Amino acid sequence: MDIAGPAPTIGTPTPTPTPTPTRTRAPRGASGIGRPVVVMDGTALSRTRFVISPLNELLAEVAQYAGGSRRDGSRDAELRRLSDALRATRWPTAALLSPALFDVTSSPDLERELEALSARMCADVHGDPSAAEEPAAPAGPPAPVPSPHVAELLDALRRAFDVWLADRWPEVRRALEGDVAYRAHVLARHGVGHLLDTLHEHISYEDEVLYLATARSGAGPAARNGAAARPRPPRHATAGALIVPSAVAPHPAVLTHGELTVLRYPVTEERTERRTGAEAKPLIGLLGRARSQALAAIGTGCSTTELALRLGVGAPTASSHATALRLAGLVATYRRGKQVQHLLTELGSRLLNAAGSAAG
C-alpha cells in the first residue's frame, strides 16, 4: 500500500522513503507479509480517535473516479479544478483533516470542516503571498497558504461535493456512524489492539506496529538463504492517528505528512449496503419502520435534537423513539449539560449488524 507523501494530487500518493530498520517481526495477513507503516505506542494510541469526515469521503470518491475508466465531461472539469487547487496549496491530503476540529465533534458537516481548513491554511500568512511559496517540509505542519489559493480550494471542494456526494451523504454518514458504533463495542470488549487488528483483513497490529498487506506488499520481499527477509518498521512512533471509515475507498490506506497520521479503512460492503439502502426487513418486523430508522440514525451517538433532524421529525417524536429503544436495552441515554445524548448499546449494535446480515 502506497503511503501518501507531500504531493496533494488526487489519486497520486507519493511513497515514503524506506526508514532505518529496527525490528524484524511482521504478521502475515490475508495477502501475505504485511508492510510495516506506522509505529503506534501508548502515547500515540492516547491521541488516536475515530472520525467521520465528509471531506475525506469526498477525496476518496474523487480519487476513485480519477483512477477509473468511465469519463464524464462535467466531472472531468471539476476534477481538473480540484486537482489544480490542491496543487496550488501544496498541502498533502492528510493535512486537510484537522485534529483540533475532531476534538470538538467526531462527525462534522462539510462546511464545518471547510471553516476549520480555511483557518488553518491561512494561519500566519499576514497578507504576504511569498510566505507560502516554498513547500512544507516532509516532517512538521504544512506551510500557510495565500488567501486566493484557499478560496479557490474551498470553492472547488464545495463544487466537487455537490457533484459526487451531496445527495448520498446523509445515508453514507449513517452507514459510517453505524460502523464506528460497532467498533466502539469491539474496543470496550477486546481492547485497542484487537480493534486495530480487526479493522480490515489487510490491516494487522502487533508489537506496537501497524501493518498493511496488499497485492504488492503481500508477496513479500525476495527470499534470502531460503527465507524471506522481514520488512521493518519506522524508527519513531507517530504522534497519533485519525481513524477514518470510508464507504467508497476499496482498500485501506495510511496517509502521512499531516498533523496526525490518517488511517482510512473501507467499511464492509455488507454494512454499507445495509445502511445506505432500504432498512433491513427483519429489523422493521421487530421494531417497526420508525424505530428501526431511529436505531440506525443514532449511529455513534447524538442528542435528541440531532436525532430529530436526522429522522425529519419533531423533538417529542424523536424522544419517544429513543425512550422506547432505551427501555428495550438497545440505546443508552445520558445527560451532557443541557442536552440528552443517546448511544447504541452493544445489544443495539449487534441487532443492527445481525439484521444487515439477514437482509443480505
Side-chain angles (χ1 to χ4, degrees), residues 173-189:
R173 185 202 67 218
R174 284 195 291 270
L176 301 181
E177 289 196 333
D179 189 80
V180 172
Y182 166 73
R183 305 296 175 181
H185 296 304
V186 173
L187 173 64
R189 171 164 288 193

Side-chain angles (χ1 to χ4, degrees), residues 52-127:
I52 295 169
S53 165
L55 179 55
N56 173 80
E57 193 69 356
L58 170 63
L59 295 174
E61 287 265 10
V62 175
Q64 278 290 98
Y65 176 81
S69 58
R70 300 184 63 180
R71 313 314 302 171
D72 174 82
S74 60
R75 292 195 175 199
D76 285 346
E78 295 304 327
L79 175 63
R80 288 192 295 270
R81 181 193 302 272
L82 179 56
S83 297
D84 290 344
L86 283 167
R87 277 192 292 269
T89 67
R90 303 186 181 186
W91 271 42
T93 301
L96 300 181
L97 304 184
S98 172
L101 172 65
F102 299 117
D103 284 338
V104 179
T105 175
S106 63
S107 184
D109 57 30
L110 181 70
E111 282 304 316
R112 192 163 187 182
E113 281 200 280
L114 295 184
E115 289 174 6
L117 177 60
S118 176
R120 291 167 57 241
M121 280 190 159
C122 291
D124 300 323
V125 172
H126 300 304

Side-chain angles (χ1 to χ4, degrees), residues 71 96 123 169 187 205 250 309 311 332:
R71 313 314 302 171
L96 300 181
W169 176 243
L187 173 64
Y205 181 75
L309 290 173
L311 295 174

Side-chain angles (χ1 to χ4, degrees), residues 1 27-35 202 212-221 228 231:
M1 177 62 66
R28 185 175 294 271
S31 297
I33 298 175
R35 176 185 178 188
H202 290 166
L212 288 181
T214 67
R216 282 185 290 173
S217 68

Side-chain angles (χ1 to χ4, degrees), residues 142-208:
V145 179
S147 296
H149 291 337
V150 175
E152 290 172 5
L153 176 61
L154 299 187
D155 179 63
L157 287 169
R158 289 188 181 97
R159 293 173 60 122
F161 185 79
D162 288 341
V163 169
W164 268 280
L165 195 57
D167 291 343
R168 296 183 296 109
W169 176 243
E171 291 78 17
V172 171
R173 185 202 67 218
R174 284 195 291 270
L176 301 181
E177 289 196 333
D179 189 80
V180 172
Y182 166 73
R183 305 296 175 181
H185 296 304
V186 173
L187 173 64
R189 171 164 288 193
H190 301 288
V192 66
H194 184 79
L195 169 68
L196 293 172
D197 208 39
T198 56
L199 281 177
H200 188 270
E201 63 178 353
H202 290 166
I203 299 174
S204 53
Y205 181 75
E206 183 177 338
D207 295 339
E208 299 186 341

